[in-house]
Amino acid sequence: MPSFDLVDRPWIPCLTVDGRFTELSLREALTRPRDVREIVDPAPTVTVALHRLLLAVLHRALNGPRDVDQWREWWEAGTWNADAVSAYLDRWRHRFDLFAEERPFYQSYEVDERYAAPITKLTHELASPVNPVSLFDHTLPGQMLLTPAQAARYLVAHQAFAVGGLVSGVGDEKYADAAPLCKAAVCLAKGESLFRTLMLNLVAYEPEEGKPFEFRGDDRPAWERNQGPKPADRRPDGYLDLLTWQPRRILLLPETRPDGTDVVPGVVIMKGEQFPDDWELWQGETMVPFRKVRDRPPFPLALSEDRALWRDSLALMQTARARVDESLQPPRLIDWLTELVEFGAFDRRTTFPIDIYGLTTDQAAVRFWRHERLPLPAAILDNQQLVSRVKEILDVAESAGETLRQAVRDIARATLPDGSRDAANLTAALGPERSYWPALEISFYQTVQQLAETRDDDASTRRALASWAKHVGDAARRAFDEAIEPLQESPRAFLAIAEHHRWFTLRLHKTLRVFLDPPVEEVAHG
């Protein structure tokens, strides 16, 4: 029987501080994290899932951090108790063997091998019988082999991001809910080394004090649980249970080649653990922002093909003391960073890079995945006035975008012989916002940084807001010109453009003038 010990065999893809790409074992990554710049994998799902795995090991091995004081002790020392981490891995080594006979890592032997499928079924980006659309690869189903290291990475990612829908099985077991992070925008604070990245995301863990959330039960990560996952509803026992949640019963099917090397050509994937109706992800997840609509429970904020996440960045900025949009709930991670700033672990001039990972699905097929980065100034985290300013600049951009959409839509309607019919299709084809929003992203981050540095300086605030208004106006006018350019040869369109261009210009100025030329009192008191 093959064996692959994740504790001491290299499998975690890393970029070292001296610029080398390499694979490290669990022990190496967690006892020498200052030698690693970052974990990097072509698949964002793998990258974020590996971080969550490492965090679960650290929380369990170190039994903390219990509070900010203990966290600061590790941060300022530049290390945690590496001996305790190493001893913990030795204690549970038998549960970190990818091909163990009794409890293979992150897997279950309680599956039916008659449902064996090509290993591509474990991945999101490779073609497979259930998802023939390939994002970045054109490997044909059945031709793919994974090394044990690759299989381990995809296994961890699949348990975090598995798409909901039909799975192997019979009766009620043929349908499985999506994994906790599927469709969610997952946030990870980044540092200049793996040590600092893991520390920034190592939130206070003190179950008796309800940190990071209230839970009941004996909280254990997946490899410490006495039984593997069952195809049944279950509430998470705690934070470590949630970090290593097993929504699928998976079994890798390895084989040994004649040359003695082990490969993984097949896999069985069946329904695993599901959240019951009375438990929602927002009740415990620390890395995901949520949105609430009317009386529905909060649901994860997701990445979108046509909407960059910075347009919803209030979900990453407002805390309990600086709430301006009650429909948005920031990740608990943001509250933790705010607490670190409040207790002096970081200067308010600090900017936290926040990486956001996620994928979007449609009818059990992955449409796209994305990795974005948002610079988050510490000064804004608990400042109601600054968060309100950010909301204002976002509102102005949205208003200008709506003015742009409406002007182009009216021109399209006037251009068509039959009026409004098909106007929506023509407007979509012209794509008035295709260049508008991307043109604002960098300016938005710069404006937020400028506002964070104003420190109640009215003149600096006015300059930052005026500069933002100018960027918005320039972007909207360029986008308008680009959208109507294909219509210039049409006589009907020429008249419509002449009529609606003036309306667009006046409406745009009305939207922007609140920032371009407001009275001093209006800026000072909002």
Side-chain angles (χ1 to χ4, degrees):
M1 185 71 179
S3 176
F4 192 82
D5 176 16
L6 299 174
V7 171
D8 287 316
R9 295 284 295 272
W11 65 286
I12 300 173
C14 297
L15 174 65
T16 64
V17 293
D18 57 2
R20 293 182 299 107
F21 286 97
T22 188
E23 291 182 357
L24 299 180
S25 67
L26 267 175
R27 192 191 307 275
E28 291 172 320
L30 291 177
T31 59
R32 296 166 34 206
R34 287 181 297 178
D35 296 337
V36 178
R37 182 175 300 170
E38 61 181 332
I39 293 174
V40 289
D41 189 274
T45 52
V46 171
T47 299
V48 70
L50 290 178
H51 280 91
R52 288 168 69 91
L53 171 67
L54 297 183
L55 290 170
V57 173
L58 286 174
H59 279 302
R60 191 61 166 169
L62 301 173
N63 192 29
R66 295 182 299 276
D67 51 33
V68 173
D69 289 337
Q70 186 175 53
W71 187 93
R72 288 187 67 174
E73 180 183 333
W74 299 346
W75 179 268
E76 292 170 1
T79 186
W80 44 65
N81 188 337
D83 290 339
V85 173
S86 192
Y88 176 82
L89 292 173
D90 285 335
R91 177 186 176 191
W92 291 98
R93 179 194 297 273
H94 61 291
R95 296 284 177 83
F96 283 94
D97 189 328
L98 196 63
F99 307 126
E101 292 187 11
E102 293 185 3
R103 285 290 303 280
F105 174 76
Y106 258 46
Q107 298 166 75
S108 173
Y109 265 120
E110 298 178 359
V111 297
D112 190 337
E113 292 193 27
R114 291 179 301 174
Y115 294 116
I119 191 62
T120 48
K121 189 175 181 181
L122 189 68
T123 71
H124 285 114
E125 76 274 27
L126 302 178
S128 76
V130 294
N131 183 18
V133 179
S134 172
L135 296 183
F136 304 114
D137 186 274
H138 298 287
T139 305
L140 295 177
Q143 295 182 343
M144 185 71 180
L145 297 174
L146 295 183
T147 66
Q150 291 171 325
R153 296 194 291 267
Y154 281 119
L155 173 65
V156 175
H158 196 88
Q159 292 287 25
F161 290 92
V163 176
L166 291 175
V167 294
S168 298
V170 296
D172 293 340
E173 294 185 15
K174 290 190 66 174
Y175 182 86
D177 293 344
L181 303 184
C182 183
K183 297 187 179 182
V186 187
C187 301
L188 194 72
K190 291 299 292 290
E192 59 269 28
S193 69
L194 179 59
F195 169 76
R196 292 189 177 271
T197 292
L198 291 174
M199 282 294 296
L200 288 172
N201 297 278
L202 205 65
V203 301
Y205 180 71
E206 180 58 271
E208 294 182 359
E209 300 295 328
K211 299 178 181 178
F213 61 90
E214 295 282 352
F215 57 82
R216 294 179 296 177
D218 185 13
D219 186 27
R220 296 171 180 269
W223 52 86
E224 286 193 33
R225 298 184 65 82
N226 293 327
Q227 293 184 329
K230 303 292 183 182
D233 289 354
R234 183 174 73 82
R235 294 170 63 95
D237 289 335
Y239 182 49
L240 306 187
D241 189 12
L242 182 59
L243 281 177
T244 58
W245 190 252
Q246 309 280 277
R248 299 291 183 270
R249 290 174 297 154
I250 299 175
L251 182 63
L252 299 175
L253 303 175
E255 64 179 39
T256 301
R257 286 177 162 179
D259 62 1
T261 59
D262 295 326
V263 293
V264 187
V267 64
V268 179
I269 302 177
M270 302 183 71
K271 180 178 180 178
E273 300 170 327
Q274 315 281 275
F275 296 146
D277 292 340
D278 63 349
W279 201 89
E280 301 278 352
L281 189 62
W282 65 271
Q283 295 173 256
E285 178 56 50
T286 62
M287 296 183 178
V288 174
F290 293 85
R291 185 188 297 278
K292 183 175 176 59
V293 178
R294 295 185 292 277
D295 296 330
R296 292 177 54 191
F299 56 91
L301 197 66
L303 296 180
S304 170
E305 285 184 279
D306 55 4
R307 184 181 177 91
L309 191 66
W310 67 265
R311 295 170 62 183
D312 296 305
S313 56
L314 284 177
L316 303 182
M317 296 181 182
Q318 58 178 10
T319 59
R321 291 182 299 179
R323 186 66 60 86
V324 298
D325 188 339
E326 294 297 328
S327 70
L328 296 174
Q329 174 181 309
R332 283 179 168 83
L333 170 63
I334 302 302
D335 290 327
W336 171 243
L337 295 178
T338 303
E339 187 174 353
L340 293 177
V341 172
E342 179 181 358
F343 284 90
F346 294 99
D347 189 283
R348 291 189 178 275
R349 291 171 294 183
T350 302
T351 295
F352 298 107
I354 306 295
D355 280 9
I356 302 103
Y357 306 83
L359 56 81
T360 292
T361 65
D362 180 22
Q363 296 181 348
V366 176
R367 291 185 57 85
F368 80 99
W369 58 26
R370 184 178 293 160
H371 170 202
E372 299 186 23
R373 172 164 290 184
L374 187 148
L376 182 62
I380 211 168
L381 289 176
D382 60 351
N383 190 315
Q384 179 81 26
Q385 185 179 29
L386 284 179
V387 175
S388 295
R389 288 296 188 199
V390 174
K391 185 177 186 305
E392 289 175 12
I393 65 175
L394 288 169
D395 288 345
V396 163
E398 292 289 348
S399 295
E402 176 56 32
T403 296
L404 170 64
R405 281 193 300 274
Q406 186 173 343
V408 175
R409 185 169 58 244
D410 289 345
I411 292 172
R413 184 180 295 114
T415 299
L416 295 172
D418 51 359
S420 61
R421 197 182 73 176
D422 294 332
N425 292 336
L426 178 56
T427 303
L430 295 173
E433 295 177 281
R434 193 173 296 130
S435 64
Y436 171 69
W437 290 110
L440 292 179
E441 184 168 3
I442 294 177
S443 297
F444 170 76
Y445 295 142
Q446 292 172 339
T447 302
V448 170
Q449 190 67 50
Q450 291 166 1
L451 291 173
E453 295 170 356
T454 57
R455 298 183 179 277
D456 300 324
D457 183 330
D458 292 345
S460 297
T461 298
R462 289 197 298 273
R463 285 195 295 271
L465 296 178
S467 177
W468 171 249
K470 183 178 185 305
H471 283 297
V472 171
D474 290 344
R477 283 185 284 269
R478 284 196 301 270
F480 179 83
D481 291 340
E482 291 173 7
I484 64 174
E485 199 278 332
L487 304 176
Q488 297 285 359
E489 301 301 321
S490 166
R492 291 176 63 93
F494 185 82
L495 294 176
I497 291 170
E499 178 183 352
H500 291 285
H501 183 274
R502 184 172 182 274
W503 175 90
F504 168 71
T505 302
L506 292 174
R507 184 68 179 270
L508 183 63
H509 177 73
K510 182 178 180 180
T511 298
L512 302 178
R513 69 182 180 186
V514 64
F515 286 165
L516 288 171
D517 55 353
V520 173
E521 293 79 5
E522 184 178 341
V523 172
H525 302 293

